[in-house]
Amino acid sequence: MKGTFKITLAYLKELGACREGQREFQKAFPDGGEYQEVLDRCAEEGRFDFAVWLFSHVGPTEDVRTYNEDIIEPDKNIFFAGRLEFSGSVSVKRIQAGLGIEAGEGIEAGWGIKAGWGIEAGWGIKAGLGIEAGWGIKAGLGIEAGWGIEAGKGIQAGKGIKAGLGIEAGWGIQAGCGYCVFAGLRVPMSSWESLAVVTAKSKPNNLRSGYWKPLEGSDEKTQ
């Protein structure tokens, strides 16, 4: 599917869109609009709630959007249904892609970073809220999130990995040689078991904080 897929009010009703969403859509696109065009308007208006709903109900596209210059705009949102590629650094408010996100340098968001596939940066990855990828997360430098970090596959960083809450990986969690993994930095130790769980197939050798809980079916033991 391409981002030119036409969305109409009738289609949104069929998907079960709320009345507010229908009303706002009809106001902005009285004759309907292309999927990516609607997502771009959500980004402009800061309607992350509408964008998330569209991502979950319409799904990803095969499109690729490439930025050949640094994107340093702290108030900017980027919602893209396909794959995002940045040749340099990107520092914005929030990023979400239906497929993967890749940057030649660093990725930073004042709020969250989310991709349906993988997230990869030549430098560091940092978010004020959560970082989530359907596949793996990989950074040449450190990975840091104010909330949790979650990946369907592995999480790998050239330096340290820090999360305000928990860290979850379908595969392993690996920080750079000599660096450590920290979870639960925003909650007291008494809350680690519920709010700062670290889960993967094997326990990171350099885990320094958080409550370790192995994935179901692995040979690791809770410690």
Side-chain angles (χ1 to χ4, degrees):
M1 183 174 66
K2 303 288 289 185
T4 52
F5 173 75
K6 189 70 174 289
I7 294 179
T8 63
L9 181 61
Y11 180 65
L12 289 182
K13 290 180 177 179
E14 183 181 331
L15 293 178
C18 67
R19 289 188 178 181
E20 180 189 1
Q22 293 179 34
R23 184 171 59 251
E24 293 297 320
F25 176 82
Q26 189 172 26
K27 185 188 304 181
F29 302 97
D31 299 318
E34 295 180 355
Y35 181 24
Q36 187 55 53
E37 183 183 16
V38 176
L39 286 174
D40 288 338
R41 177 63 68 88
C42 289
E44 291 172 8
E45 301 295 330
R47 294 309 304 252
F48 180 69
D49 51 345
F50 288 174
V52 169
W53 190 90
L54 282 171
F55 276 120
S56 64
H57 286 77
V58 182
T61 67
E62 59 193 54
D63 303 293
V64 177
R65 178 181 288 180
T66 301
Y67 292 86
N68 293 316
E69 68 286 335
D70 291 345
I71 306 297
I72 313 296
E73 299 183 48
D75 294 325
K76 184 181 181 66
N77 295 301
I78 299 177
F79 305 146
F80 190 66
R83 176 180 175 80
L84 286 168
E85 296 181 352
F86 301 90
S87 60
S89 295
V90 53
S91 179
V92 294
K93 187 174 185 179
R94 190 193 300 260
I95 306 174
Q96 180 161 351
L99 297 182
I101 302 172
E102 182 177 352
E105 297 181 5
I107 300 174
E108 181 174 351
W111 289 13
I113 301 172
K114 183 175 181 179
W117 288 10
I119 301 173
E120 183 172 350
W123 292 4
I125 300 173
K126 182 177 181 181
L129 300 183
I131 301 173
E132 182 178 346
W135 289 10
I137 300 174
K138 183 177 181 181
L141 299 181
I143 299 173
E144 182 175 347
W147 288 8
I149 301 173
E150 181 178 346
K153 294 189 177 181
I155 299 173
Q156 182 178 352
K159 290 190 175 181
I161 300 173
K162 301 178 182 179
L165 300 180
I167 303 173
E168 179 178 346
W171 293 1
I173 300 170
Q174 181 180 346
C177 181
Y179 291 90
C180 300
V181 178
F182 300 90
L185 295 179
R186 288 197 172 184
V187 293
M189 291 181 64
S190 58
S191 299
W192 280 2
E193 189 171 350
S194 59
L195 298 178
V197 177
V198 179
T199 301
K201 282 191 174 181
S202 59
K203 184 178 181 180
N205 294 330
N206 46 2
L207 179 64
R208 291 295 178 265
S209 66
Y211 180 81
W212 166 245
K213 182 179 180 181
L215 284 175
E216 292 185 10
S218 69
D219 295 330
E220 292 281 334
K221 295 182 179 180
T222 303
Q223 295 181 357

